[in-house]
Amino acid sequence: MKRFLATGAACLALASAAQAQEAPADAPKPMDQPRDWSATLTQDSTGLHDIMIDSHPGVHDPLNPAFKPRLEEGLTVALERAKTTTDAGGWWWALRAYVASFEDGHVGINITQPNYGFPTRWPGFLTIYRGADQVVVDREPADAATPPLGARLIDCDGVAAEALAEQRIGQFRGRWFLEAQRTLYGDWQFLSAQNPWIGEMRQCRFEADGATKTYALNWRATPEDIYARRAKLAQRAATDFGLKHFDDGGFWISTPSFNGDPSSETHAELTALIADMKTKQDALRLAPYVVLDLRGNGGGSSHWSQLMAEVLWGDAWMAAHPEPAIEAVEWRASDGNIAEISAFLDKLRATNGQPELITWAEDAINGMKAAQAAGQVYWRSANDEEPADAAPPPPAPQLMAGRVYVLTDSSCGSACLDAVDLWKTAGALQVGRETSADTVYMEIREPVLPSGLAQIAVPMKVYRGRARGNNEPQRPQYVIAGDMSDDAALLAAIRRLQPD
């Protein structure tokens, strides 16, 4: 049976024209130049719409009839907002809302000017989600007019806390129904970044120690250390690639990315990591436990997780325990998509990339060109049919003596989710936190919008028959509470899960 190479969001984000270039220190900053922002929003929202019409597989997807109306409605809203847009904030947040309306983590947008950020304001405190509640976790200690740490938000200006978050954050981030989105962006509830499409609340009610109190909000510039404060609240791990061996015989393997760009540093580190795993294969298979750490991994190419699975469980075990097959992949046959895969193929050839990836890229290019010639919108790459009387694979030995744990956090998406699918099917146990989620639209390219100020992420293909549905996260068998950046605490929690 043919096995698809399921590459994801980060794989084809190559050094294309979409990548922002560093400008000289004294060069004018594009975002700060005088500009007709109303016309810019009209131009860019129309450009975003036209790129999607030209290249996104959802436009003609018979299984997603809501896609085209959503695309048109988003443009209508953006053009209406353009009538009153007067600054960069209005332009940016209108575009963010348009992108968020697709409810798809593979449809994204970034400003092309490196390290650009809008000035932020706050009322002297921040909240994050703890379960379903939004609680105060950071405040100016000398400001008695702000709610105390641990206070739970009830409402602001008469709008209930969850509805308020949907309006102020979910509208511009999308997929607010996911725990991962609330974990990643919940601290935006009391931040303001020049977004004219939402106002700054005047007063809010909080509950603390059984008592409810109303607080008037005094909005002002955020302190200089606001990014450090937010980073501390996020508790996101800053892991490096590597394989650690502990005194009790256990192993910890960290893969914070599955980037598929053959010229990237990540590619080199993953190649070295898998070579190290092969060298230590016998010890890994005899270990009492192996932790596959995916914290911070936003995707890339599932090629890497397949290689790792083969090192651990072996070809025979993986053949006997295949993950649910994808029936087919349909590529949207457009000039832009063909050009993107062609550039990727050129890089593979220039760097002596893996033969299977080269074959995959050649097939995709030739297939899309053939579809175009035949006047078809998709090129379909389907799994080969196995004979109905095909014998099941022979029993395979379990080569892993101990447990394999897959450690996930809210960053896990795209090819990271493919890794969790694969490894759990092989027998691994998921621990940590609920992952993010993706749709069946995959393989992004990153064209620049007409203004040159932003680039978007656009999927080029669609999976057919994937077992995991649209925006369906992976949930751990064992939830680990606490700080997801605390390696020692996580290791101790995993050791407690070990059988006696």
Side-chain angles (χ1 to χ4, degrees), residues 404-417:
V404 179
Y405 299 97
V406 184
L407 177 61
T408 61
D409 63 9
S410 56
S411 299
C412 185
S414 190
C416 178
L417 293 170

Side-chain angles (χ1 to χ4, degrees), residues 41-120:
L41 177 54
T42 297
Q43 178 188 40
D44 281 347
S45 58
T46 303
L48 188 158
H49 169 274
D50 293 349
I51 291 168
M52 301 285 275
I53 288 287
D54 178 72
S55 293
H56 195 292
V59 174
H60 299 281
D61 189 352
L63 300 182
N64 189 4
F67 184 90
K68 184 73 180 302
R70 180 175 289 178
L71 176 65
E72 301 301 334
E73 173 63 20
L75 177 61
T76 298
V77 172
L79 292 177
E80 184 63 28
R81 284 175 164 170
K83 294 177 182 179
T84 55
T85 294
T86 59
D87 58 18
W91 162 84
W92 172 245
W93 292 105
L95 288 175
R96 279 213 65 94
Y98 192 1
V99 166
S101 71
F102 293 100
E103 303 287 6
D104 185 348
H106 281 154
V107 179
I109 187 167
N110 286 296
I111 290 175
T112 54
Q113 181 174 315
N115 303 318
Y116 184 85
F118 290 97
T120 54

Side-chain angles (χ1 to χ4, degrees), residues 186-251:
D187 64 343
W188 274 94
Q189 181 77 293
F190 289 95
L191 284 172
S192 174
Q194 296 188 350
N195 185 346
W197 314 118
I198 54 174
E200 295 178 345
M201 298 87 76
R202 297 185 299 276
Q203 62 180 20
C204 300
R205 290 194 303 157
F206 287 85
E207 184 273 330
D209 298 326
T212 299
K213 182 177 179 180
T214 299
Y215 294 85
L217 303 188
N218 174 26
W219 290 86
R220 64 269 202 184
T222 53
E224 292 184 359
D225 66 344
I226 189 65
Y227 294 110
R229 292 187 186 202
R230 295 181 63 207
K232 183 178 180 180
L233 294 177
Q235 298 181 350
R236 294 174 194 155
T239 59
D240 297 321
F241 293 93
L243 189 157
K244 298 177 183 177
H245 189 201
F246 301 115
D247 292 341
D248 62 358
F251 283 88

Side-chain angles (χ1 to χ4, degrees), residues 24-37:
D26 57 349
K29 300 299 184 183
M31 291 293 299
D32 298 327
Q33 300 306 300
R35 179 181 288 268
D36 183 339
W37 288 104

Side-chain angles (χ1 to χ4, degrees), residues 21 66 77 86 89 132 156 190 228 234 259 283 324 326 369 384 403 454 496:
Q21 301 297 316
V77 172
T86 59
C156 293
F190 289 95
N259 186 358
I326 295 168
K369 287 182 176 179
D384 300 326
R403 284 184 172 181
R496 287 194 292 271

